[in-house]
Amino acid sequence: MIGLSAQQIEEIESKFGVPVYIFHSDEFVENYKELENTFQKIYPQYQICYSYKTNYTPTICRMVKQLGGYAEVVSDMEYELAKKLGYSAKKIVYNGPCKGKYLEAHLLENGINNVDRVEEAERICRFADENPDKNIKTGIRVNFDLDAGYTSRFGIDLNLLGELLLLFQTHHVTVNGLHCHMSRARGIEPWRLRAKTMLGLVERYHLYELEYISLGSGMFGKMDCELQVQFPCDIPDYTEYGNGVVGQFAEFYKDKEIKPTLFTEPGTTLISKYVDFLAKVEGIKTVRGREFVLLNCSFHNLGETCQMKNLPIRVFHQGGGLTSLTNARLVGYTCLEQDVLYRDFCGELSVGDYIEFGNVGGYSLVDKPPFIQPDCPMIAIKEGKQELIKRAETFEDIFKTFRWEI
Ligand SMILES: Cc1ncc(COP(=O)(O)O)c(C=O)c1O
């Protein structure tokens, strides 16, 4: 976590209230540049495409654009956001299994697209047939096994790749890119294997004129030691990923005339550590020997990581009578038993204390349903200044889509 001082917390409480998301803007930029510089030093044609779904806060997406990052989107909603922020189609990567109505216009504007399934390929072929004077281009997302212990449902099975290439050729669609993305495989070995497999496909299918190869996302980002130790594998840093993964591209393309752009699509890697969440203790109780600490937020605020690991936390006492706790559960305001934000808390707390959670940037506010309560605000801290970047949701925000007269 980036962390707050007691004085900052006091200021945040009086200006914006708690709970609240806190985006640390300067540190985010530093991390972005470190990732980009490390990889570009090894393979200059490296390009970051920021994964909107991970955290589509417009302030963050705009910063990525200013830093030169592309937008990686998986729906028309996210596509619209990228366009609204001023992206040209050429810097938008349209991924995902269910593309909306913008796909065709995107292709006409030379946007980057990765086909996820055969029906989408057929849709593109029909479109190319209807527009014989246009050079329609697309990439293909491929699906292969990284030994991650599950079968991914995304992308084209490698056994179908040859057939698909032929289909596109028949319809005069240019295949300009190759894409893969596998979740739950963040370690260095699965990443080495991604690069090796993708380069193997280039050789096998003679794809020497590709404009880009995307390795998707799912690298570990930076994190505090207390989170790191909860993972069973080593956490590689950017240099290790660079040498093991990007290095393969530098080697493979060193004597080749056409060097494709190498994309990755970081979401978590870029944003996770740079959003903290501040909550407050509402109550403390013991039930049949189990201690529970109730917070004024829910597990939905913190994203999926808090269901698998204990996020880094810091406690700010407000001076009330402290209760000593052993293996307590920090729980949320919903009526769900699984609304647990932290397990096995040991220490002292009192009602009114603040708890700051770190590593909350990914799949948190974008994945917060309007379940029981609307969401809280988000602020950014930039050069020490606090600014509201998302107001709190209201009753009206939640209920305006319903028809009241029926
Ligand atoms: C195609 C694609 N790209 C990028 C991402 C972002 O991954 P992460 O948040 O792990 O960086 C995802 C996440 O599911 C994805 O499906």
Side-chain angles (χ1 to χ4, degrees):
M1 88 168 65
I2 303 303
L4 298 163
S5 65
Q7 195 194 333
Q8 279 177 313
I9 290 182
E10 210 176 290
E11 214 180 316
I12 289 169
E13 169 78 284
S14 69
K15 281 209 231 147
F16 311 102
V18 172
V20 61
Y21 297 94
I22 301 136
F23 169 54
H24 295 275
S25 157
D26 303 323
E27 292 81 356
F28 171 80
V29 171
E30 243 172 71
N31 178 51
Y32 182 102
K33 288 184 178 165
E34 187 183 330
L35 174 66
E36 186 180 65
N37 290 339
T38 309
F39 285 11
Q40 282 184 350
K41 256 191 219 151
I42 299 168
Y43 187 74
Q45 296 78 6
Y46 170 69
Q47 174 64 51
I48 289 177
C49 309
Y50 176 60
S51 159
Y52 273 31
K53 73 181 104 29
T54 309
N55 188 328
Y56 52 56
T57 303
T59 307
I60 297 171
C61 297
R62 187 179 295 109
M63 284 177 71
V64 167
K65 183 167 182 286
Q66 282 160 359
L67 288 161
Y70 287 17
E72 189 264 335
V73 306
V74 291
S75 68
D76 272 1
M77 180 187 84
E78 293 180 2
Y79 192 86
E80 213 168 314
L81 172 59
K83 281 287 191 163
K84 216 167 179 158
L85 291 171
Y87 272 102
S88 73
K90 285 181 185 163
K91 294 188 176 182
I92 301 176
V93 179
Y94 205 166
N95 281 336
C98 259
K99 284 154 187 129
K101 63 178 191 293
Y102 293 149
L103 175 61
E104 282 75 10
H106 181 61
L107 294 174
L108 280 184
E109 290 168 36
N110 268 318
I112 302 159
N113 179 64
N114 290 310
V115 165
D116 182 78
R117 54 196 170 90
V118 172
E119 295 90 339
E120 185 189 340
E122 289 165 351
R123 174 178 168 186
I124 293 173
C125 288
R126 275 195 303 276
F127 186 64
D129 292 346
E130 288 158 16
N131 293 275
D133 54 325
K134 299 282 187 316
N135 180 13
I136 302 297
K137 299 183 197 176
T138 187
I140 302 175
R141 175 170 177 169
V142 288
N143 178 319
F144 48 88
D145 189 17
L146 281 184
D147 216 9
Y150 74 106
T151 305
S152 166
R153 69 186 178 96
F154 300 108
I156 303 289
D157 190 305
L158 282 193
N159 292 323
L160 294 178
L161 182 58
E163 233 174 273
L164 203 66
L165 289 169
L166 203 61
L167 178 75
F168 281 136
Q169 200 182 0
T170 313
H171 291 267
H172 308 289
V173 174
T174 306
V175 173
N176 64 340
L178 218 49
H179 172 247
C180 70
H181 169 84
M182 266 69 73
S183 48
R184 298 181 227 162
R186 294 185 187 270
I188 189 75
E189 281 317 320
W191 269 88
R192 279 208 187 99
L193 187 56
R194 276 188 207 208
K196 189 170 167 222
T197 308
M198 294 298 266
L199 294 171
L201 291 174
V202 169
E203 278 188 319
R204 177 162 172 206
Y205 292 99
H206 306 282
L207 301 170
Y208 294 109
E209 293 187 1
L210 293 180
E211 291 171 10
Y212 69 91
I213 295 177
S214 175
L215 296 180
S217 186
M219 288 186 186
F220 282 111
K222 293 190 184 185
M223 64 181 94
D224 302 78
C225 283
E226 55 203 288
L227 187 53
Q228 267 195 34
V229 295
Q230 296 174 59
F231 286 92
C233 62
D234 287 339
I235 310 291
D237 61 17
Y238 297 155
T239 304
E240 284 169 275
Y241 281 122
N243 292 336
V245 180
V246 184
Q248 291 186 48
F249 280 75
E251 181 58 29
F252 185 87
Y253 283 105
K254 72 173 187 250
D255 299 323
K256 302 209 172 26
E257 211 177 300
I258 301 175
K259 299 185 203 312
T261 305
L262 171 61
F263 292 146
T264 68
E265 301 164 350
T268 306
T269 325
L270 280 185
I271 189 64
S272 192
K273 190 174 175 194
Y274 306 98
V275 180
D276 293 340
F277 188 82
L278 190 63
K280 222 170 171 176
V281 176
E282 292 276 331
I284 300 174
K285 68 157 91 155
T286 304
V287 182
R288 288 192 293 285
R290 161 73 68 193
E291 293 164 335
F292 295 96
V293 177
L294 175 67
L295 304 184
N296 64 347
C297 61
S298 94
F299 71 144
H300 288 126
N301 289 116
L302 301 187
E304 61 176 9
T305 311
C306 89
Q307 289 163 62
M308 300 174 277
K309 318 267 181 226
N310 272 341
L311 293 171
I313 54 168
R314 277 170 67 194
V315 175
F316 293 84
H317 295 301
Q318 287 307 293
L322 291 170
T323 305
S324 191
L325 299 156
T326 310
N327 296 332
R329 283 195 186 155
L330 309 191
V331 295
Y333 63 65
T334 71
C335 305
L336 299 172
E337 292 290 0
Q338 70 267 33
D339 190 355
V340 179
L341 296 95
Y342 194 94
R343 288 154 194 85
D344 299 322
F345 176 85
C346 296
E348 293 184 318
L349 282 177
S350 71
V351 171
D353 282 354
Y354 294 101
I355 311 265
E356 186 184 7
F357 291 88
N359 274 84
V360 176
Y363 309 101
S364 48
L365 68 155
V366 294
D367 205 17
K368 160 79 178 69
F371 181 60
I372 300 186
Q373 280 194 35
D375 205 3
C376 61
M378 181 178 196
I379 64 164
I381 302 185
K382 189 177 179 188
E383 291 163 10
K385 278 214 330 259
Q386 299 167 1
E387 206 168 349
L388 187 71
I389 57 173
K390 181 183 188 286
R391 68 161 169 78
E393 290 170 1
T394 61
F395 176 90
E396 285 73 26
D397 289 332
I398 307 302
F399 286 98
K400 72 182 167 202
T401 55
F402 292 90
R403 287 185 66 190
W404 284 75
E405 72 280 14
I406 291 175

